[in-house]
Amino acid sequence: MPIKRRTGSKNPPILSSEFLIQNHADIVSCLAMVFVIGLLFQVSAPLASVFVVMQHNVTEAVESTDIVLYTYGRQDVCVISFYFLIAIVMHAILQEYALDKLNKKLHLSKMKHSKFNESGQLLVFYLISLIWGGDIVLREGYLWNISKLWQDYPHNEMTFMFKFYFVVQLAYWLHCYPELYFQKVKKDEMKPRIIYTTLYLVFLSAAYVLNFTRVAICLSVLHYLVESVFHTARLLYFADKAKAASYGFTVWNSLFVFARLGSITLSVLTFWYGLALQQTASVMDIASGNFNTQLIRINCLVSICLLQAWMMWNFINFHLKRMRERAAQIASSKKKALVKKDKKLKKDELKKASEEDVNELPEVDQNTKKDLRSRTGAASSPKSKRH
């Protein structure tokens, strides 16, 4: 699918920064096509297949099953690099053909425009990952039998879709770094994006290398469910669907707390109880992929719990900040109402005082004062001004 170029009044110089930003999707798609076309020729097919085709097939060692099984290895870096390019192209397609068109209809400000794009991109990825990961969890039976998360460890043999899930996850979060440059993200918005992107990469990479993929896919599905609700509500808010957005944020508030508790519970069951009952090793065995040592288990459990605590801390601070802002708005509105009421009372008092002064005058002076007031009012009226 061709990507529309964002043309300005002048074409930027070739290989300039603006040229790369405007045409990065075309450049990256051409680079990805080089690997795909390389599969068509016998000379380049072995090298191109390292980037396109899933590597480290271990099915030959398992004769009793027809399921194709894979493990991880160094060549996965090449596969992740190829799907890293695909992620950049898909990001540009979604931005060009969906989000930009919606932005034009909604007429958002620059700040809301950036957040709308972020939520739109993440929502699509979270929904795909949620459906994909949820399907794997149901097929493997982890939902109905939690003990499978730690039984028969090390889990260094994966089905094609299972391994492909983690390859796509790593490729997507890697592509978020160059997108900060391609999307011209402001400096004040870069820090939070870099933080959550790095956290995703660190935890997913650790789970992939240490063969804790089963518990990792369950935790990721649980987390992506909550994030999908949040970004859906956020998009509804930007689209001026205040009532629907309010319901969405209410659901998110509840799910967020349950997801944090669920993640900690699942991690404790797996790392503190489940894996401790399996065959533990005093030293990690890289050759067999056995990393079930007490030190690694405790570090993994502490890392996950600290992450959940940090997320909960940010969640509480966010709501406290909103409560303070609402209290300040209410106090400001009350103050304005009191000022307005005081002005009205003062006006009424002055009017009453002037009437009392008139009443104290003799009858002839009272009539003269009233005539002067009526003439002044008639002179200041719009009709008298037009005449």
Side-chain angles (χ1 to χ4, degrees), residues 338-368:
L338 286 171
V339 170
K340 191 175 181 181
K341 190 176 180 181
D342 289 340
K343 286 182 178 179
K344 189 177 180 181
L345 287 172
K346 287 179 180 178
K347 190 176 180 181
D348 292 341
E349 287 176 359
L350 289 171
K351 187 177 180 181
K352 188 176 180 182
S354 63
E355 288 178 354
E356 288 176 355
D357 292 341
V358 171
N359 292 332
E360 290 177 359
L361 296 171
E363 187 176 352
V364 177
D365 293 338
Q366 288 182 19
N367 295 330
T368 307

Side-chain angles (χ1 to χ4, degrees), residues 5-13 18 22 184:
R5 297 182 180 179
R6 299 177 183 178
T7 56
S9 57
K10 293 183 180 179
N11 292 325
E18 192 63 30
Q22 288 185 10
K184 297 181 179 180

Side-chain angles (χ1 to χ4, degrees), residues 80-97:
I80 292 171
S81 300
F82 174 76
Y83 287 100
F84 162 81
L85 301 177
I86 299 300
I88 293 176
V89 176
M90 296 305 296
H91 187 114
I93 291 173
L94 179 60
Q95 185 68 42
E96 187 72 37
Y97 291 94

Side-chain angles (χ1 to χ4, degrees), residues 22-38:
Q22 288 185 10
N23 302 280
H24 73 274
D26 295 331
I27 296 169
V28 172
S29 60
C30 290
L31 185 59
M33 285 300 296
V34 171
F35 296 105
V36 177
I37 294 172

